[in-house]
Amino acid sequence: MDKYHSNNKVLLPLRGVAVLFTIIELGLTAYGVSVYNGCYILDGFEYCQTFGAINFLLFASLWSLLVLAYLLATLRFGRFSHPIASFVLLLVTALFWFAGFIAVAVFTGGGCGGDRACQTLAAAAAFGAFLWIIFLVDAVFAGMAAFGGGGRSTGQNFGQPMQTA
């Protein structure tokens, strides 16, 4: 087992919070998709379309559940994990969350008044921001493990082969 997966005291709670927030996000965005799917009136203008940013956050939630299932399985069965694959998956997932929460935050415009659907999407944007931070922190841990950073005491420069004793 590599040093990335041997640090379960940090990764397990971090991924547990990610699973919880992703399930909350899934519910919020599913509600947003159901409300804004079709014609709706926003700021006095009628829109008849499905808003892509809300759909993208729904996709990011489903994608994250798949990635988290893989990552949690690798905590138990470390031999099925590859540090670079974990790093890439986490980095792509963090990018998805960043793009999604920014797009939905722009859509809500910072003020919803009494519109419950808009307030739900504002909450989805907030949970998306938290999920972006969680996946980014996990990606940093995975990157340090994959590329030899964070406590590497071999005295070797990056990119040079390690000497065996």
Side-chain angles (χ1 to χ4, degrees):
M1 185 176 290
D2 58 21
K3 66 181 177 180
Y4 173 62
H5 291 96
S6 65
N7 196 3
N8 287 346
K9 291 181 182 178
V10 174
L11 293 178
L12 196 57
L14 185 69
R15 290 181 184 163
V17 170
V19 168
L20 177 67
F21 280 12
T22 301
I23 292 170
I24 292 170
E25 182 75 28
L26 183 63
L28 291 171
T29 54
Y31 175 73
V33 166
S34 72
V35 169
Y36 288 108
N37 191 11
C39 294
Y40 57 92
I41 297 175
L42 183 66
D43 295 330
F45 296 102
E46 184 177 20
Y47 297 94
C48 292
Q49 64 185 2
T50 302
F51 190 64
I54 305 167
N55 294 339
F56 185 75
L57 268 186
L58 184 64
F59 160 76
S61 298
L62 296 172
W63 169 267
S64 296
L65 287 176
L66 292 174
V67 169
L68 286 166
Y70 167 75
L71 292 172
L72 288 171
T74 60
L75 284 177
R76 176 74 172 108
F77 307 106
R79 60 190 161 155
F80 297 116
S81 173
H82 191 279
I84 295 177
S86 297
F87 172 68
V88 169
L89 282 172
L90 287 164
L91 201 59
V92 167
T93 306
L95 181 67
F96 285 166
W97 282 113
F98 181 73
F101 96 80
I102 291 294
V104 171
V106 168
F107 176 72
T108 59
C112 293
D115 186 9
R116 293 212 179 200
C118 181
Q119 291 170 346
T120 301
L121 291 180
F127 274 101
F130 288 130
L131 283 162
W132 168 61
I133 292 169
I134 290 170
F135 280 104
L136 193 61
V137 167
D138 203 350
V140 167
F141 285 136
M144 289 187 325
F147 301 111
R152 184 176 175 187
S153 61
T154 61
Q156 298 289 327
N157 291 330
F158 182 77
Q160 294 184 2
M162 293 179 60
Q163 298 174 358
T164 57

